[in-house]
Each structure stands twice: as structure tokens, then as C-alpha cells.
Amino acid sequence: MAELPARLEVLGHFGPLVAASLSHTASPTILSAGYKTNVIPTEAHAEIDCRVLPGGEETFRAEIEDELGPDVDVEWIWEPPIAAPADAELVEVIREAVRESDPDALVVPYLLPASTDNKHLARLGISGYGFVPLRVPDDFDVFGHFHAVDERVPVDALHFGADVLATVLRSA
């Protein structure tokens, strides 16, 4: 697995997305302390957005608590990570649909290092798969545009995605 990050360049602009799913992450996103600029606060609070690989929950919690030290109280508000089988029949249907539209395409199952509604389906025992069949130019920063002020993809990418999705729906 150590050599995997170096091999992700074959995925082009999707490489960094897959790389972000190869390890746990913890990002402090909400920090608060004090009530006035000239008063030193007696305590501080942080909310940390944690993305944990499936199966790593307990070791991750221990690592975070150890890193923060004994003087920090930790309250976990926890949604366990979810995963769906990469060898499911639907994955092969997707792979074939993509190949039908682009024979040179590479379909790579990966863990999404972001939040999805699949967590709600997982509670019901339903495996969910994210599927974004976009074919964009190499110089188009597709992930830099997701959820951005000027969120967009090229029209050709939408046509490609609609064609591939139609094939999946006819085949599944």
C-alpha cells in the first residue's frame, strides 16, 4: 500500500480524490474561545471534522485522544464510516456502461472522503454507490468546481454522463 499514492497519477485529476481516501483525516473546522479581545479565555472549544476509514474507528479515536493529551476533554459525536462492496454486480454494470461510451476509461471504486446521503441508506442495510460519470478535459479542475460559487462542468461532460447513466439504468 505504501507505493499506491505514487501510482495514482494514472487517474489524472481524480488521483487527489482517491489519495484523500487512503488515510484517516481530522480537520478542526469550528474553533471558539473567549468573549472579548483583551481577555485571555479560560477554556476553548474545537469541533473537528473526522473522516475515518471503515474498520479504523477505535484506533482512530485512541490516536486523536492520545494526540490531544490528558488535559483535553473529548466528546465524540459519531457517525461510523460506511463502505459498500467493490465487487458488487452493480459495479460491473457501471464499468461496462462506462466502457461502452469510452473504451479507454478506467473505473476505480474508491472511498469518498466526503459526506453523502448513503449513510442514511446504510442504516437500513442498503449498500449505496456514488456514481459521477464525468469525462472532463485534463486541464479542468472538476473537484475545484464542486460546491464552489461558480460550480460547473462542461456541457460535453453532462452529455457523456447522461449517456452512461442511461446505459446503467437499462442494464441494471
Side-chain angles (χ1 to χ4, degrees):
M1 176 114 146
E3 71 278 355
L4 184 58
R7 294 181 174 196
L8 294 178
E9 65 192 33
V10 70
L11 299 177
H13 51 261
F14 290 97
L17 180 70
V18 175
S21 69
L22 296 179
S23 63
H24 306 309
T25 62
S27 303
T29 54
I30 299 176
L31 306 171
S32 62
Y35 65 97
K36 209 171 167 188
T37 330
N38 65 341
V39 176
I40 297 172
T42 57
E43 63 181 33
H45 298 269
E47 293 185 33
I48 303 172
D49 180 37
C50 299
R51 307 294 166 106
V52 182
L53 298 177
E57 299 88 336
E58 293 309 315
T59 57
F60 178 78
R61 287 184 194 202
E63 289 172 20
I64 291 292
E65 291 178 10
D66 185 53
E67 189 68 31
L68 294 173
D71 296 331
V72 175
D73 293 326
V74 177
E75 175 188 347
W76 290 96
I77 301 169
W78 192 256
E79 281 283 335
I82 59 170
D87 61 353
E89 186 178 327
L90 179 59
V91 175
E92 190 54 35
V93 168
I94 290 170
R95 186 174 278 116
E96 290 304 316
V98 170
R99 280 193 197 126
E100 186 176 308
S101 292
D102 184 350
D104 296 326
L106 179 62
V107 175
V108 179
Y110 63 93
L111 292 170
L112 182 65
S115 181
T116 74
D117 290 336
N118 281 340
K119 62 184 167 279
H120 304 297
L121 299 172
R123 289 184 200 131
L124 301 172
I126 300 169
S127 293
Y129 295 87
F131 178 53
V132 184
L134 291 176
R135 183 174 56 192
V136 298
D138 289 339
D139 62 346
F140 184 81
D141 182 12
V142 66
F143 298 109
H145 286 87
F146 277 11
H147 300 301
V149 172
D150 191 16
E151 184 172 15
R152 67 185 185 282
V153 296
V155 172
D156 289 346
L158 288 178
H159 287 293
F160 175 82
D163 291 344
V164 171
L165 183 57
T167 302
V168 168
L169 293 174
R170 283 192 304 270
S171 304

